[in-house]
Amino acid sequence: EEWVSEFDTEVDPNIVWTAGNVQEVLPDQLSPFNCSINLKMLEEFGEKGIERMGLRLEKPVIFNAIFYGRPFLNVTLTADVSDQIPFASVDGIMDQFYDIPRDLLPQPTPFSPRKLWRYVNTLPRMLWFTLRYGADVRRAERTVDQFELELADRTRSDLDDEALLRLIEEGLMPGADVAITHISGAGLTSARFDMLRALTRSWLDDEDGSLHARLCTGLASLESAQPAYELWDLSRLVLASEGLREAFASHDGTEIERRVAALEGDDALAFRRRLAEFLQRHGHRSVMEAEIAAESWEEDLPTVFAMIRNYLQADDALSPARIEERQRHEREQATREGLARLSWWRRPVFRRLLKVGQDSVTSREHTKSLLVRGTQRGRRLTRELARRLAARGLLDDVFDFYFLTLDDVDALVRGELDRAAAYERIDRRKTEARRNEDVALPEYFRGRPKPLGPGERPLPDGDTLRGIAVSPGRVTGRARVILDPRKDATIEPGEILVAPVTDAGWTPLFVAAAGVVVDIGGTLSHGSTVAREYGLPAVVNVKYGTRMIKTGQTITVDGTLGVVVLDSGQ
């Protein structure tokens, strides 16, 4: 059955949309509150991310859309923009973020005097964007730092409800500017990553991409990999304390939180101090971390404790610091191998493209973190306002707040919307959200999507899944299927993680894993980037992994060929 949800976007029937990339960050439905914020930002900034890169669009288009509560990206726009970037491959850039059949997309325009003239016009603007991008990132850092200082210096209880609401609204446009910095930087990263890939293929016969992957590992400063370092250190504190070990004997994160809170003594005090430091640096991260209604690690300690528990059975060889050292040596060895095979005049070009490619990957993870830190500001402020409205009896539950739009909240705070009218909207949207939960949508489609019926999601025959090879190597082991780390974050050392999506909130699971298999994604997905950082054989975009693979089943992951073989005897 097909219907139109309240926040569905009206779109051109010729545009191709995909769940790839965006639903790694937002795998579930967006809250109505988040939808309303997204619409306001799009109205204000629209195409600014593309324009900032120095590219021009022939007609106004939208970058993302919402269908049945879920976000989708405009693939047609990505293909059009990629075709304007000199020296970039449309196919290569598409594979970095999503795998879409090429017959659905506009074909790259053949080289011609007109295209050459467009390159001549585009290249100087892109060079200017590249030169000033560092300043854009520093501006985004200042914005987010100011957000956090603002919350630290100002007691929110000193503000009345309207002042608190204004503070929320005042952060929207600066926050959107941070988002545009991330989006435009992702485009820059994509172009540089693709150029480096083209170089290794043409100059170094790197057809399977394994050398390219080895050149982009062990980067140390990769921000989405950093939480694992501190979680590992926390696990070592647990192992050194009998009381903490007993507290972590439970498999339930909520029970661990209760036990840890009840502990006394120096060991428990040191652990709680280190945990507070961890949350100060990484508490903004989570699954669904770009959704303001979702609980961050700062609020969701049971998930954090469950991830720490995974490390208690791991020996020191799995220490993230040791992994980083091993991968750094691997990267340095790959660099030496590449240089040794190049003529003297190609070596400076290789070194330059290698550096900018590596720097772009780490910068993209950094700006993603900035974006989520900005979301954390909104999360804290809206939680405060929601608690006040609940205390006044206008809401039954703090999280009912997020079934209202920003305009609804404004009217409720001003007294222009009463409780009964607010709950008419909340209840209607909750009903629609429950209805949307059962909707299965295709990964990509043209125009508006049609929900898939039970018979329209067949599984492939055979025992081999094919996807995109993102991190080389081959491993055989027991599968651990995890659909949501907030509900199940247990993985034993040596198991192969099988997930529907991966993002920063998943990556602490990678330390114990021997390999990674993901249903959707591309070579520049955040999970793919971290898999390379840790040197884990990984295949993404297998589409059916979580539906075909069972926990405990033996599987073989070949991150060089991009295949996953299932043991059919289990």
Side-chain angles (χ1 to χ4, degrees), residues 423-469:
Y423 266 94
E424 185 279 325
R425 300 175 193 188
I426 291 169
D427 292 340
R428 170 168 49 80
R429 289 167 184 157
K430 283 184 176 181
T431 298
E432 184 170 80
R434 287 192 292 270
R435 190 182 190 189
N436 287 341
E437 278 180 8
D438 296 327
V439 174
L441 296 175
E443 181 185 349
Y444 47 83
F445 47 87
R446 189 186 300 278
R448 179 176 170 77
K450 292 184 179 180
L452 299 173
E456 295 180 280
R457 301 181 67 204
L459 296 174
D461 295 328
D463 57 6
T464 300
L465 295 173
R466 301 188 182 277
I468 299 174

Side-chain angles (χ1 to χ4, degrees), residues 229-397:
Y229 288 75
E230 295 184 46
L231 289 172
W232 179 271
D233 292 341
L234 283 163
S235 75
R236 302 305 98 174
L237 290 179
V238 172
L239 289 175
S241 165
E242 182 179 354
L244 287 167
R245 287 199 306 273
E246 291 177 359
F248 276 82
S250 173
H251 284 266
D252 183 88
T254 302
E255 176 62 17
I256 295 173
E257 181 183 17
R258 186 192 67 77
R259 293 181 182 183
V260 169
L263 285 176
E264 298 179 354
D266 292 342
D267 291 349
L269 182 62
F271 178 84
R272 285 193 286 265
R273 183 169 57 248
R274 290 289 293 275
L275 177 64
E277 293 170 355
F278 168 82
L279 293 174
Q280 184 177 11
R281 283 186 285 271
H282 307 294
H284 59 289
R285 313 246 52 158
S286 69
V287 174
M288 197 73 176
E289 60 188 8
E291 166 57 62
I292 197 169
E295 291 184 297
S296 63
W297 284 344
E298 181 180 82
E299 302 170 285
D300 184 19
L301 286 181
T303 294
V304 175
F305 288 145
M307 289 181 173
I308 293 172
R309 191 182 184 281
N310 288 332
Y311 296 171
L312 299 182
Q313 304 302 317
D315 61 39
D316 288 342
L318 291 180
S319 161
R322 289 195 178 186
I323 293 172
E324 188 276 321
E325 182 180 8
R326 181 193 70 206
Q327 293 307 117
R328 177 173 56 81
H329 287 307
E330 181 71 15
R331 171 173 52 80
E332 291 170 348
Q333 177 62 29
T335 303
R336 286 191 294 269
E337 290 174 10
L339 287 170
R341 294 168 57 190
L342 293 175
S343 58
W344 66 268
W345 66 269
R346 284 180 168 177
R347 290 175 187 170
V349 179
F350 174 78
R351 285 194 178 99
R352 179 60 184 165
L353 276 181
L354 178 59
K355 184 176 189 325
V356 298
Q358 292 168 342
D359 289 349
S360 292
V361 170
T362 57
S363 177
R364 179 171 179 258
E365 296 302 304
H366 175 55
T367 57
K368 166 68 186 309
S369 180
L370 290 175
L371 174 61
V372 178
R373 284 169 59 191
T375 302
Q376 183 76 338
R377 171 196 187 268
R379 186 175 285 121
R380 289 171 176 170
L381 291 174
T382 54
R383 294 286 197 274
E384 172 68 22
L385 184 55
R387 281 191 288 268
R388 294 184 187 185
L389 294 174
R392 287 163 51 192
L394 291 172
L395 295 176
D396 292 336
D397 183 84

Side-chain angles (χ1 to χ4, degrees), residues 141-157:
E141 290 170 341
R142 288 193 298 271
T143 296
V144 174
D145 288 344
Q146 184 58 42
F147 279 168
E148 293 173 346
L149 285 172
E150 173 187 76
L151 293 183
D153 294 343
R154 181 181 290 179
T155 304
R156 294 190 291 275
S157 59

Side-chain angles (χ1 to χ4, degrees), residues 466-525:
R466 301 188 182 277
I468 299 174
V470 296
S471 184
R474 182 182 174 91
V475 64
T476 298
R478 285 167 31 95
R480 172 70 67 168
V481 181
I482 298 179
L483 301 180
D484 187 340
R486 296 169 296 185
K487 299 174 183 177
D488 176 18
T490 299
I491 183 168
E492 299 292 333
E495 292 183 324
I496 296 171
L497 173 64
V498 181
V501 297
T502 54
D503 197 21
W506 290 77
T507 52
L509 300 173
F510 286 25
V511 171
V516 179
V517 178
V518 189
D519 286 348
I520 67 173
T523 55
L524 266 181
S525 299

Side-chain angles (χ1 to χ4, degrees), residues 16 58 148 161 180 192 205 278 306 323 465:
V16 177
E58 293 183 2
E148 293 173 346
D161 292 354
I180 288 172
R192 289 173 165 179
D205 301 320
F278 168 82
I323 293 172
L465 295 173

